[in-house]
Amino acid sequence: LAEQGDMAEASTEPMSVESMAPEDQQLLSDPAAEAAWNYLVERYPDVRLTPDSSLNLDLGIDSLAWVNLSLALGERAQIELDDEAIGRIETVRDLLREAAGAGRSDEGGLDLVEALRQPEDALPERLKAWLEPRSATNRLWGSLLLGLVRVFMRLWVRVDVRGRLPAEGPYLVAPRHLSVLDPLVMTEGMTNAELRTVRWAGWTGMLFQRAVSRWFSRVVGVLPIDPRAAPRKSLALAAAALARRQSLVWFPEGARSPDGTLQAFQPGVGLLLRAWPVPVVPVWIEGTYELMPTGRRLPRPGRVRLVIGEPVGVDRLEAVGDDEQAIADLIREEVKALSER
């Protein structure tokens, strides 16, 4: 019996419903909770998924991944989680309970795409302000910060850059995501003019908690993505940037890779591109996971590789049709193909 228990603990697949406690089985008798569980099982087939699993620590659901999780639950189970409910969720069991008690939404993927075509209608004035052109003072500070970043990168982290961004925008840049170093590495493949105009999707939990980090974000053009409390507003803010003909850096994996491998691309990027079709620039980043994996405070010195691919044209994106996941998968294949260059 002890050996069987050890084997169960070592399992790397989701727990079967039959193995759960009676109260968890009862919870899963609710259709919305069952749909939420089935989505997680499909999304994390190689993880020991249980009702006690932490969404952040065990599943790596942070940053933009909350946008995609909320959207997926809305589409799969017509579950509408309000801001307060999302704030209470820490474990899978919490999510199932909130799903069981949530109101059902009639809002499907097509309705969301239509809403994203008028993105500023969903944005309060405080978020619209982040889309406004930066002041001359902020542009000066941005140039000074960029200079410091370039010095650091050339002394501590050497970047081998191949390819370059298109001469004209707007476009969406879709990089692989391995480390908090990735945005710094991206700057080595961009001109000063490009850095003055591009916008970055940034998680509010990391970059907007304090006055200094909010100032930094405004200076360098980071948009506040609040994936847990406001996933639809986050998508609307990104869509509004494209609508204003601003290029956007969006990490389609939704979170840093936990093991250095290329993860699945989430459908949020497909929704953005269905609403605002623009060319997509695939980017392969290699080496940042080794220099600064999750949990490390300072990077090791070393070299990384940055490969900027040819843009995926709007015609190719539209040929995929109205399937946002298929659009995300197409972009992932383009990013993966750059690994051989």
Side-chain angles (χ1 to χ4, degrees):
L1 290 176
E3 183 179 350
Q4 289 179 353
D6 292 341
M7 289 176 63
E9 288 298 319
S11 174
T12 55
E13 61 184 22
M15 172 184 282
S16 67
V17 176
E18 293 76 14
S19 302
M20 295 181 187
E23 55 269 28
D24 290 325
Q25 295 185 35
Q26 179 64 31
L27 179 58
L28 285 171
S29 66
D30 180 90
E34 181 185 29
W37 172 260
N38 289 340
Y39 169 74
L40 292 176
V41 169
E42 179 183 325
R43 178 71 178 84
Y44 301 97
D46 300 323
V47 173
R48 183 57 179 169
L49 184 70
T50 76
D52 292 312
S53 297
S54 165
L55 296 182
N56 182 275
L57 299 177
D58 297 323
L59 305 185
I61 296 178
D62 61 0
S63 187
L64 298 179
W66 258 106
V67 173
N68 299 305
L69 176 61
S70 299
L71 293 173
L73 292 176
E75 293 181 3
R76 296 289 189 90
Q78 291 74 53
I79 298 168
E80 184 73 26
L81 297 176
D82 60 28
D83 294 357
E84 291 185 3
I86 290 174
R88 291 190 293 266
I89 295 171
E90 298 293 338
T91 67
V92 169
R93 184 180 290 108
D94 294 337
L95 175 60
L96 300 180
R97 286 172 176 163
E98 296 294 345
R104 305 303 290 271
S105 170
D106 295 327
E107 187 176 286
L110 180 59
D111 295 324
L112 181 54
V113 170
E114 291 298 329
L116 290 177
R117 288 176 178 149
Q118 301 292 332
E120 297 195 30
D121 292 347
L123 295 176
E125 292 301 320
R126 63 179 179 80
L127 288 181
K128 291 180 185 178
W130 289 92
L131 298 165
E132 297 302 322
R134 280 161 279 183
S135 67
T137 301
N138 281 345
R139 289 197 302 270
L140 176 60
W141 276 112
S143 297
L144 293 173
L145 289 173
L146 174 61
L148 292 175
V149 168
R150 293 209 190 281
V151 170
F152 167 75
M153 296 302 289
R154 289 166 190 179
L155 292 177
W156 198 255
V157 179
R158 305 294 182 88
V159 184
D160 175 20
V161 181
R162 302 183 187 181
R164 61 169 300 152
L165 294 174
E168 297 182 359
Y171 46 78
L172 185 142
V173 183
R176 184 188 187 196
H177 199 12
L178 297 161
S179 166
V180 295
L181 269 181
D182 296 338
L184 301 185
V185 170
M186 282 290 304
T187 65
E188 288 294 281
M190 304 168 73
T191 66
N192 291 351
E194 289 162 349
L195 286 165
R196 282 194 295 269
T197 58
V198 74
R199 298 290 183 166
W200 305 75
W203 179 36
T204 54
M206 180 177 293
L207 290 173
F208 294 84
Q209 293 299 300
R210 299 178 180 178
V212 171
S213 60
R214 288 193 297 272
W215 169 82
F216 171 83
S217 298
R218 192 175 294 280
V219 164
V220 300
V222 180
L223 299 179
I225 300 301
D226 191 357
R228 290 200 60 166
R232 285 174 173 77
K233 285 186 177 64
S234 295
L235 276 177
L237 186 60
L242 296 177
R244 293 191 181 200
R245 299 190 61 78
Q246 298 171 350
S247 295
L248 175 68
V249 179
W250 181 277
F251 292 94
E253 290 166 279
R256 286 168 285 171
S257 173
D259 57 7
T261 62
L262 184 65
Q263 305 298 295
F265 280 17
Q266 302 301 310
V269 68
L271 285 164
L272 279 177
L273 292 167
R274 284 182 57 199
W276 291 95
V278 296
V280 179
V281 182
V283 175
W284 179 264
I285 299 174
E286 185 176 309
T288 53
Y289 179 82
E290 290 74 17
L291 299 188
M292 196 172 180
T294 302
R296 186 176 176 86
R297 292 182 176 272
L298 295 173
R300 302 181 181 93
R303 302 187 71 93
V304 301
R305 194 161 69 100
L306 176 71
V307 183
I308 302 172
E310 293 296 320
V312 180
V314 172
D315 54 343
R316 288 190 62 194
L317 298 174
E318 293 179 339
V320 174
D322 293 335
D323 185 340
E324 53 266 14
Q325 186 60 62
I327 295 172
D329 292 343
L330 169 64
I331 298 169
R332 183 182 185 277
E333 289 305 310
E334 292 292 324
V335 171
K336 184 178 179 181
L338 296 176
S339 65
E340 303 301 324
R341 285 181 50 178

